[in-house]
Amino acid sequence: MDYKNLHITQQKIIKLLCERETINQVDIAGEIKASLPTVITNVKELVQEGLLEIGGVGDSRGGRKPVIVNLKPNSKYTIGIDFLVDTVKVMMFNFKMEEIAVEEITTSRFLNFDEVMEKLIHIIKDMLLANNITIPNLLGIGISIPGIVNEDVKNIEVAPNLHIADTHFQKYNEILGCPVYFENEANAAAYAEWQIGAAKGCSNVLYLSIMKGVGGGIIMNNRLYHGSCYKAGEIGHIVIKPEGRKCTCGELGCLNEYISIDSILNEYNKKSKKKINSIEEFMYYKEREQETAIEIWEEYIEDFAFTLKNLLVTIDPEITVIGGEIAHFSPTLIPEILKRFAQSKSNVFNKENKIITSKLLEDASITGVALFLRNDYISNY
């Protein structure tokens, strides 16, 4: 028996069911271009392995009624962890990427990474126990970090907003007894939006994460692009105003200090007698045409449009996805950016660039790291 081809066929079947959720064996044969007996044999094996389940029979097309096949949702699990500036979120997903459980803890910006990881390990163990899940059924734990993550040498080189640097994470594989995958938060979000979100079906994607800091993820020719030193997409540290505001990285004038959520709040609190703590409060005043809020928003849009225009000329994506906290205000943000684009006098810049809102919003990164582990399992099945 050709086991290699058998496994390739099984990969194709599982990938198809990830896309279609439910499909009959006759249609599977047509989609993956295999004979019906081959499909039946492989489906039987996957059912025995516990990855698929039979979901009844479909309507007859002149012969036997076709057997319907589904992914077995609770056959395998992944866990995503998202390190934000002040909180860490843990989310468990089943094989169909449906949320099973979620928990959040508060942290400090000056966190002790090992101490936080120790807390998270306890949370994960409790989560598995509460849902009757054993380690062999856990495909892995994905961890999203707002910083430079070098997967080759298993090291977080720097995460300025978390004040951590040169932190090795190989040891966590041994502690938890399952694969642990670390990824930059914007890269993880870009991957999720490309695979199952707003950019699904596109080959070249630019993802912008606008939260307390600014990040970017790039899908290039159907691959997540990391760059030669895992620093691709670190757009928050592009200098747009030399001698400007000081960034957490130590440089002056970084984009982080001009189009992040924190930059809006900081500027408003400097210029207004009213003190605010959230982007929602800022937008409340902006929508009521408060002079200070309008002034800050106009500057924000100018800086955002200027930066995005340069990124689009450099990368030339099919689509740009706006994600993070600012995505909730895309109906206001995107038209104003496109208005600035329309005013461009350049005959090189494409004024028709497509900009859309993230589908997964703040859960894009945590979904991305968990989704990567599930897809990696299928690719190596």
Side-chain angles (χ1 to χ4, degrees):
M1 183 179 288
D2 188 347
Y3 286 103
K4 182 178 179 182
N5 287 335
L6 186 71
H7 293 154
I8 290 170
T9 302
Q10 290 176 357
Q11 286 176 19
K12 289 179 179 178
I13 292 170
I14 298 171
K15 286 179 180 178
L16 181 60
L17 282 163
C18 288
E19 294 280 333
R20 299 280 289 273
E21 292 193 9
T22 184
I23 187 172
N24 67 62
Q25 292 184 135
V26 174
D27 289 340
I28 291 173
E31 291 277 354
I32 70 171
K33 296 180 172 53
S35 69
L36 183 56
T38 297
V39 168
I40 291 171
T41 299
N42 281 275
V43 165
K44 184 179 179 181
E45 283 211 2
L46 289 168
V47 169
Q48 290 171 347
E49 288 290 325
L51 297 177
L52 304 185
E53 58 187 7
I54 301 302
V57 293
D59 296 330
S60 173
R61 300 175 186 177
R64 289 183 179 178
K65 291 184 177 181
V67 174
I68 295 172
V69 184
N70 307 317
L71 275 184
K72 193 170 183 179
N74 297 325
S75 56
K76 299 292 179 183
Y77 300 85
T78 53
I79 288 176
I81 298 175
D82 196 10
F83 275 78
L84 304 170
V85 174
D86 300 311
T87 59
V88 182
K89 182 187 284 187
V90 183
M91 192 178 291
M92 181 185 289
F93 300 86
N94 66 16
F95 202 45
K96 291 175 70 173
M97 292 306 298
E98 296 167 332
E99 180 187 320
I100 299 298
V102 62
E103 190 162 339
E104 199 168 289
I105 61 171
T106 302
T107 60
S108 163
R109 291 192 182 206
F110 297 88
L111 58 80
N112 180 305
F113 192 74
D114 285 337
E115 286 181 8
V116 174
M117 283 300 296
E118 190 174 333
K119 288 182 183 178
L120 294 174
I121 289 166
H122 286 298
I123 289 171
I124 290 167
K125 287 179 178 178
D126 289 343
M127 200 175 271
L128 292 171
L129 187 62
N131 290 277
N132 296 313
I133 298 166
T134 59
I135 289 292
N137 287 325
L138 182 63
L139 299 179
I141 298 164
I143 301 177
S144 160
I145 295 283
I148 298 170
V149 178
N150 189 324
E151 181 66 23
D152 285 344
V153 296
K154 309 295 180 186
N155 188 42
I156 301 169
E157 293 187 6
V158 63
N161 288 335
L162 298 180
H163 300 277
I164 59 175
D166 196 24
T167 301
H168 292 274
F169 52 80
Q170 179 68 46
K171 59 186 174 184
Y172 297 116
N173 286 65
E174 298 164 9
I175 293 171
L176 296 163
C178 67
V180 177
Y181 165 65
F182 280 72
E183 182 58 271
N184 166 270
E185 58 91 14
N187 286 342
Y191 181 82
E193 293 289 351
W194 167 55
Q195 287 282 303
I196 62 174
K200 185 177 178 180
C202 296
S203 301
N204 298 286
V205 180
L206 171 63
Y207 174 86
L208 298 180
S209 171
I210 313 297
M211 299 185 66
K212 291 184 182 295
V214 177
I218 302 166
I219 304 298
M220 189 177 293
N221 296 326
N222 285 310
R223 292 180 68 88
L224 179 60
Y225 180 68
H226 287 101
S228 58
C229 298
Y230 284 89
K231 292 181 172 66
E234 286 293 328
I235 66 169
H237 300 289
I238 294 174
V239 174
I240 64 166
K241 298 188 180 183
E243 307 306 318
R245 302 168 195 161
K246 188 171 183 178
C247 179
T248 53
C249 75
E251 188 60 87
L252 300 179
C254 287
L255 190 63
N256 263 335
E257 302 305 311
Y258 294 91
I259 72 165
S260 66
I261 299 299
D262 271 7
S263 73
I264 295 175
L265 304 186
N266 291 340
E267 281 303 290
Y268 185 87
N269 288 336
K270 281 180 191 175
K271 296 179 179 180
S272 175
K273 293 178 181 178
K274 301 177 187 293
K275 301 303 176 187
I276 60 174
N277 298 305
S278 70
I279 185 65
E280 286 78 15
E281 290 178 86
F282 173 83
M283 294 304 289
Y284 173 86
Y285 291 121
K286 182 261 174 190
E287 287 164 7
R288 282 152 185 77
E289 299 188 347
Q290 187 204 64
E291 186 177 345
T292 303
I294 290 292
E295 177 189 331
I296 290 169
W297 184 252
E298 287 297 317
E299 291 175 0
Y300 182 83
I301 293 295
E302 290 297 330
D303 290 334
F304 203 125
F306 170 81
T307 304
L308 185 51
K309 181 179 174 182
N310 286 318
L311 289 170
L312 293 175
V313 170
T314 304
I315 299 170
D316 190 27
E318 290 173 63
I319 199 166
T320 299
V321 181
I322 305 294
E325 287 183 74
I326 203 67
H328 293 285
F329 304 97
S330 288
T332 300
L333 177 72
I334 292 175
E336 294 195 37
I337 290 174
L338 292 175
K339 180 180 175 183
R340 266 81 174 170
F341 284 0
Q343 296 166 353
S344 174
K345 297 177 182 178
S346 171
N347 60 6
V348 174
F349 178 67
N350 176 17
K351 298 178 184 181
E352 306 302 319
N353 278 288
K354 190 173 182 182
I355 307 173
I356 61 173
T357 306
S358 161
K359 180 180 177 181
L360 301 168
L361 300 173
E362 284 96 333
D363 284 339
S365 298
I366 200 167
T367 302
V369 285
L371 180 62
F372 178 89
L373 288 163
R374 187 201 70 171
N375 290 351
D376 187 60
Y377 169 77
I378 294 169
S379 296
N380 291 289
Y381 184 74

